Amino acid sequence: MISTVTMKWNGKVLELIDQRKLPHVEEYTKCTNSDCVAQAIKNMVVRGAPAIGATAAFGYVLGAMENKKHLTAKKMEEVKLKLAATRPTAVNLFWALERMHSKFLSELTNNPDEILDILNDEAEHIANEDVEVNKRIGIYGQELLPNNATVITHCNAGALATVDYGTAIGVIHTALDHGKKIHAYVDETRPYLQGARLTAWELMKLGVDATLICDNMAGWVMKTRNVDAVIVGADRIAANGDTANKIGTYSLALLAKKHGVKFYVAAPISTIDVDTSDGLKIPIEERPHTEVIEVQGVKIAPKGIKVYNPAFDVTDAELIDAIITERGVLRYPYVESIAKTVGSK
Ligand code: MRU
């Protein structure tokens, strides 16, 4: 059983809060099969790297249930590939699916009912671990924020982007629990507006003093408003520390460098991909043109205009002051700190 705002799982049905409708409508999409889960990931009902990973794990369990009568390695490979073909950048998706699939392969000699129980337990472990890991990230991360800190956030790396608690927003949450006051400038995060719709909503619920800004205001805010730190999540961190995160993160890191503002990435170890040597090798998802041409269904650009819509960018490792993980705070050069903490290829 899992029951958080982001997702609910009762062993048969996965309910996902439809993040496309937030903050105005709180509605859950119910999935009882793996196709539905794959569509939910692809169409952004659920988003955020750790949330996508846990969702895929439950999708894998549903796939095993569908194939109970012929629970073969071939069938489950197909389920894995279907779920993996949804979004290319967040490595947590592939990490969770590989973990589920290797568990399945190691239990193949059991009877189907036993295998289903084992897979269900593994998916629930992935979900529960995520929450624990985020709380540990919060404890390490809050030490980097002084009392009365002013921070800038980008995209949504809060409870909704994870099973619960969040990574970057989890750090702010823990700082509050430690009695610190934090003021957060929330980048709206065009084109999908995760900041305006999701982070603003979550921070208000947490009681954080939050101010919404358009993405192009961040430089001026850094220049004039005594910003201490930018704190963001990550979709994939390469072995050298280069970090893929929501489009606009790279520009923020450059602005932070110019203004002497600390730039922190908060992410679980499962987001570190030691098989990818550097950021240029991280696949960057391109999303539909409509996301740029329209805002919430309203057309804002001339018909026929060409559009480029990369959903992520890569921030060079040397622009990142620290990567906050559940195993501690990693520092540059990340080739060394990552190899030491996570291992190397
Ligand atoms: O396209 P999205 O909304 O899935 O992108 C999410 C992000 O870029 C987050 O910052 C990242 O996944 C970290 S979430 C803890």
Side-chain angles (χ1 to χ4, degrees):
M1 277 269 295
I2 300 292
S3 184
T4 67
V5 172
T6 311
M7 64 185 72
K8 303 181 192 306
W9 168 251
N10 66 6
K12 286 195 173 71
V13 183
L14 181 65
E15 291 184 62
L16 298 164
I17 196 164
D18 190 339
Q19 301 198 24
R20 300 167 305 182
K21 297 185 176 163
L22 290 172
H24 304 300
V25 178
E26 291 178 42
E27 193 177 284
Y28 283 81
T29 293
K30 284 188 187 177
C31 283
T32 52
N33 61 61
S34 57
D35 279 352
C36 172
V37 174
Q39 285 308 307
I41 297 172
K42 195 174 179 60
N43 297 332
M44 309 274 280
V45 171
V46 61
R47 32 67 48 204
I52 292 171
T55 299
F58 291 119
Y60 188 94
V61 179
L62 290 172
M65 289 174 178
E66 285 149 32
N67 289 293
K68 190 176 161 188
K69 289 199 177 121
H70 305 284
L71 206 44
T72 61
K74 186 168 177 287
K75 283 278 177 210
M76 290 314 294
E77 176 80 17
E78 283 167 19
V79 169
K80 182 186 87 169
L81 292 177
K82 172 178 66 187
L83 290 162
T86 50
R87 297 194 72 191
T89 304
V91 76
N92 306 59
L93 172 66
F94 310 105
W95 168 85
L97 286 171
E98 281 312 323
R99 184 165 153 180
M100 293 301 295
H101 198 55
S102 48
K103 185 56 121 186
F104 169 74
L105 293 177
S106 69
E107 302 293 341
L108 206 48
T109 50
N110 287 318
N111 72 49
D113 282 317
E114 283 167 345
I115 296 177
L116 289 179
D117 281 348
I118 289 165
L119 291 178
N120 181 68
D121 286 352
E122 189 69 2
E124 291 193 5
H125 281 316
I126 287 176
N128 286 322
E129 277 169 27
D130 179 57
V131 186
E132 288 312 308
V133 157
N134 294 339
K135 289 187 175 161
R136 269 183 270 149
I137 290 172
I139 290 167
Y140 286 116
Q142 73 83 24
E143 287 174 18
L144 302 177
L145 299 182
N147 190 21
N148 290 315
T150 296
V151 302
I152 297 183
T153 67
H154 192 66
C155 193
N156 173 263
L160 288 164
T162 61
V163 178
D164 204 0
Y165 205 75
T167 56
I169 302 306
V171 170
I172 295 175
H173 190 158
T174 315
L176 295 188
D177 287 348
H178 281 68
K180 294 181 184 173
K181 277 203 182 134
I182 307 288
H183 178 212
Y185 283 97
V186 181
D187 270 3
E188 64 173 350
T189 319
R190 277 276 288 149
Y192 213 74
L193 302 175
Q194 289 94 331
R197 296 187 302 104
L198 308 176
T199 304
W201 186 66
E202 289 188 329
L203 288 178
M204 286 175 80
K205 284 211 286 190
L206 284 174
V208 174
D209 180 14
T211 305
L212 184 63
I213 56 171
C214 301
D215 304 329
N216 52 4
M217 297 170 188
W220 187 244
V221 167
M222 285 187 207
K223 193 162 188 166
T224 59
R225 296 285 173 110
N226 289 323
V227 178
D228 296 283
V230 174
I231 180 155
V232 297
D235 288 86
R236 190 185 299 224
I237 300 172
N240 72 345
D242 289 350
T243 294
N245 191 49
K246 181 53 54 195
I247 191 76
T249 304
Y250 172 48
S251 323
L252 269 184
L254 288 169
L255 285 169
K257 183 62 92 194
K258 159 82 184 163
H259 293 97
V261 170
K262 297 287 182 207
F263 188 89
Y264 298 133
V265 171
I269 294 290
S270 54
T271 302
I272 300 178
D273 176 10
V274 290
D275 293 335
T276 297
S277 58
D278 64 79
L280 283 177
K281 302 200 176 75
I282 298 175
I284 299 295
E285 176 183 13
E286 278 192 45
R287 294 199 50 86
H289 293 181
T290 44
E291 289 180 359
V292 176
I293 296 173
E294 296 175 5
V295 174
Q296 303 274 282
V298 178
K299 290 195 170 48
I300 56 163
K303 215 173 159 197
I305 186 71
K306 283 196 287 181
V307 172
Y308 175 48
N309 185 19
F312 302 96
D313 59 27
V314 175
T315 299
D316 306 72
E318 60 266 30
L319 296 173
I320 301 169
D321 288 288
I323 299 177
I324 309 157
T325 76
E326 70 272 28
R327 295 192 197 154
V329 174
L330 312 188
R331 299 283 184 178
Y332 190 83
Y334 298 105
V335 182
E336 287 165 25
S337 52
I338 287 177
K340 209 166 128 200
T341 314
V342 189
S344 53
K345 207 187 157 190

